[in-house]
Amino acid sequence: MAFESLSDRFSAIFKKMRGQATLTEKNMDDMLKEIRVALLEADVNFKVVKNFISDVKEKAIGEQVFQKVNPSQMIVKIVHDEIQELLGADQTEIHYSATLTTLMLVGLQGTGKTTTAGKLGYYLKNKLHKKVMFGALDVYRPAAIDQLKQLSEQIGVEFFTMGQGDPVKIAKAAQQKALETGIDVLILDTAGRLQIDEGLMEELRSINHEVHPDEVLLLVDAASGQDAVNVANAFNKDLHLTGVVMSKLDGDARGGAALSIKYLTGLPIKFAGVGEKMEDLEMFHPDRMADRILGMGDIVTLVEKAKENIDEKEAEKQARKMMDGDFTLEDMLKQMKQVQKIGSIGAIAKLIPGMPKLSDEQKDAAEREMKVFEAVINSMTPYERKHPQVLRYSHKNRIAKGCGLTNADINRVLRKYDQSKEMMKQMKQYQKSGKMGRGFGGFR
């Protein structure tokens, strides 16, 4: 996951700092040296790191953190604000036109530009409720037009092509068609090259001059490190880019390109690819990303994901049943399904403030246990799911054979279910008495 190694390093640095009785210039310098090493190891550009450390130290002295009641918290806030500034602060919004907004997506071949166009269309249609059209301008790459057409059908947006024609004329015609049909956002998927050349740039300049797009977005691969900065500078010189879409941010544990690109090019990251599915594109929020890097979670994103993926009325109904201790195995399975829609156990844990880091073994164990739980419940009859107390040895044998597990697995699921029911009853009692329990049972 993006910034994972950097986040781990920052957590260790700040934990050590909080253990200091007082904050002095000496231990602050030691902390800044550790931060410098952590950033460099995360593949952040040397110039960016040098200025970052200088700015943090200058602001710490200016704020007189040594005299503060809680100086370590003050340092964390300064570092947080500086990371947020590095990532683009509040410059990541797309500027939508009152009539038609035209987005021109550019980049090198092989970075997943057409797939990203599909993800962007999905995001605009399903999350912002925009009427979207794709314009197919990649007339060189075999099957590029067919790929974009298939994506448009998959996500349910309009599609415009004129075949293997002149990309400049196609762009103009697509824009005219979009205006005539009441489209909100036109996404122009342009051709890429294996490397930057004059032919590519001349074509893109001509398209840019002809349609005057509201946003010219460059797709860069997060895993390409400092090469991403070089590509951005080369494109920006000719096209006056408005921002960056960073793909594969979920696959780069270091995140150096993301932390360097805004400072070195002036281009904010506007969207980030965080997976392979169509829905795996997120608007980039520097403040939330700074929270994640410093191990503060991201509760806003978690709530947004819950709203997008969970039926609110059904969730409230299930929550009431859970709190009353009056829920069945079927209800518990529904709750699990709702949680799985938000993301994996590991992904959810990262968004919860103060949540201890889960090891890969813990994540795998939790995922396996949820699969076991689902397999066992699905092998029961509807009556057994609602009345598990009727289960006897013969019933468990049948269920075990049905799901390819053992009687011990069945008993473990039933034990977890009983523990959850008991825990919910206790929580209700705590609520009535004005107290709240400190622990939660369930999946490890």
Side-chain angles (χ1 to χ4, degrees), residues 290-305:
D291 285 349
R292 291 194 213 180
I293 292 171
L294 296 185
M296 299 175 182
D298 184 356
I299 200 68
V300 178
T301 295
L302 182 60
V303 170
E304 286 178 353
K305 284 180 178 289

Side-chain angles (χ1 to χ4, degrees), residues 350-367:
K350 287 180 183 297
L351 300 178
I352 301 173
M355 184 78 173
K357 185 185 176 184
L358 300 178
S359 67
D360 290 338
E361 291 78 11
Q362 287 173 315
K363 292 175 196 173
D364 291 342
E367 296 290 350

Side-chain angles (χ1 to χ4, degrees), residues 60-96:
I61 293 169
E63 293 281 354
Q64 294 184 316
V65 294
F66 305 112
Q67 282 78 43
K68 298 288 181 182
V69 174
N70 197 325
S72 62
Q73 285 187 3
M74 198 69 198
I75 286 287
V76 172
K77 182 184 184 305
I78 291 170
V79 172
H80 176 279
D81 292 347
E82 287 301 306
I83 290 175
Q84 184 177 330
E85 193 64 32
L86 268 190
L87 292 170
D90 57 354
Q91 302 169 22
T92 60
E93 293 283 342
I94 291 288
H95 301 290
Y96 297 99

Side-chain angles (χ1 to χ4, degrees), residues 279-299:
E279 59 267 30
D280 291 336
L281 184 78
E282 297 178 352
M283 187 173 170
F284 192 79
H285 297 280
D287 55 339
R288 301 185 196 178
M289 191 56 71
D291 285 349
R292 291 194 213 180
I293 292 171
L294 296 185
M296 299 175 182
D298 184 356
I299 200 68

Side-chain angles (χ1 to χ4, degrees), residues 219-388:
L219 178 67
V220 295
D221 187 330
S224 63
Q226 296 308 303
D227 283 343
V229 173
N230 299 330
V231 170
N233 278 325
F235 272 88
N236 198 29
K237 185 176 74 172
D238 284 297
L239 289 176
H240 304 297
L241 301 170
T242 59
V244 167
V245 179
M246 189 156 280
S247 68
K248 303 176 187 174
L249 197 57
D250 60 313
D252 181 29
R254 297 179 303 170
L259 280 165
S260 302
I261 202 162
K262 169 63 174 63
Y263 184 93
L264 296 174
T265 68
L267 300 170
I269 302 170
K270 299 212 171 188
F271 292 95
V274 292
E276 297 180 359
K277 297 177 183 175
M278 278 295 105
E279 59 267 30
D280 291 336
L281 184 78
E282 297 178 352
M283 187 173 170
F284 192 79
H285 297 280
D287 55 339
R288 301 185 196 178
M289 191 56 71
D291 285 349
R292 291 194 213 180
I293 292 171
L294 296 185
M296 299 175 182
D298 184 356
I299 200 68
V300 178
T301 295
L302 182 60
V303 170
E304 286 178 353
K305 284 180 178 289
K307 282 184 177 179
E308 289 166 14
N309 293 286
I310 291 178
D311 183 324
E312 193 173 343
K313 289 183 179 178
E314 178 64 21
E316 286 180 3
K317 177 183 171 184
Q318 293 296 329
R320 281 196 297 271
K321 292 183 81 172
M322 294 281 278
M323 290 303 292
D324 287 340
D326 184 30
F327 60 96
T328 65
L329 282 165
E330 207 164 54
D331 294 324
M332 201 161 187
L333 182 59
K334 285 180 183 177
Q335 286 282 353
M336 276 175 44
K337 292 283 193 184
Q338 296 271 35
V339 172
Q340 285 173 326
K341 286 180 183 178
I342 300 174
S344 67
I345 295 287
I348 293 171
K350 287 180 183 297
L351 300 178
I352 301 173
M355 184 78 173
K357 185 185 176 184
L358 300 178
S359 67
D360 290 338
E361 291 78 11
Q362 287 173 315
K363 292 175 196 173
D364 291 342
E367 296 290 350
R368 280 197 305 271
E369 194 158 336
M370 289 180 83
K371 285 177 183 175
V372 167
F373 208 104
E374 184 175 353
V376 168
I377 296 175
N378 284 336
S379 295
M380 295 179 181
T381 66
Y383 185 83
E384 287 168 344
R385 294 174 200 168
K386 292 178 181 176
H387 307 281

Side-chain angles (χ1 to χ4, degrees), residues 88-260:
D90 57 354
Q91 302 169 22
T92 60
E93 293 283 342
I94 291 288
H95 301 290
Y96 297 99
S97 170
T99 51
L100 172 68
T101 300
T102 301
L103 306 182
M104 182 172 162
L105 192 59
V106 302
L108 295 178
Q109 189 175 313
T111 53
K113 188 155 40 61
T114 300
T115 302
T116 299
K119 291 179 179 181
L120 189 54
Y122 180 94
Y123 178 92
L124 294 168
K125 175 180 180 283
N126 292 284
K127 297 187 180 181
L128 300 187
H129 310 294
K130 303 282 187 184
K131 191 176 180 183
V132 178
M133 175 186 281
F134 290 150
L137 307 190
D138 187 352
V139 300
Y140 309 107
R141 184 169 62 87
I145 295 173
D146 287 342
Q147 182 188 356
L148 191 63
K149 184 179 181 182
Q150 288 171 11
L151 287 171
S152 72
E153 291 169 352
Q154 179 183 337
I155 64 179
V157 302
E158 299 296 319
F159 175 74
F160 184 88
T161 181
M162 289 169 57
Q164 310 292 322
D166 178 1
V168 180
K169 291 180 180 177
I170 296 171
K172 189 65 179 175
Q175 195 175 57
Q176 186 59 41
K177 182 70 173 178
L179 283 166
E180 290 171 359
T181 53
I183 295 294
D184 297 315
V185 182
L186 170 66
I187 300 174
L188 298 176
D189 179 33
T190 65
R193 301 287 191 279
L194 292 176
Q195 59 186 15
I196 299 165
D197 58 42
E198 184 54 34
L200 167 67
M201 286 306 179
E202 180 56 38
E203 181 179 289
L204 294 176
R205 281 195 297 267
S206 298
I207 296 169
N208 194 23
H209 181 265
E210 189 66 32
V211 300
H212 302 290
D214 300 273
E215 299 273 353
V216 183
L217 302 174
L218 172 71
L219 178 67
V220 295
D221 187 330
S224 63
Q226 296 308 303
D227 283 343
V229 173
N230 299 330
V231 170
N233 278 325
F235 272 88
N236 198 29
K237 185 176 74 172
D238 284 297
L239 289 176
H240 304 297
L241 301 170
T242 59
V244 167
V245 179
M246 189 156 280
S247 68
K248 303 176 187 174
L249 197 57
D250 60 313
D252 181 29
R254 297 179 303 170
L259 280 165
S260 302

Side-chain angles (χ1 to χ4, degrees), residues 22-33:
T22 58
L23 186 65
T24 65
E25 191 164 353
K26 168 74 170 61
N27 56 30
M28 190 176 81
D29 283 341
D30 291 342
M31 176 204 69
L32 291 175
K33 283 178 186 175

Side-chain angles (χ1 to χ4, degrees), residues 39-65:
L39 290 170
L40 290 171
E41 288 181 353
D43 199 26
V44 180
N45 179 275
F46 175 77
K47 183 180 177 183
V48 176
V49 175
K50 183 180 177 183
N51 283 280
F52 179 88
I53 297 298
S54 175
D55 289 345
V56 169
K57 186 169 185 178
E58 183 181 332
K59 289 185 179 177
I61 293 169
E63 293 281 354
Q64 294 184 316
V65 294

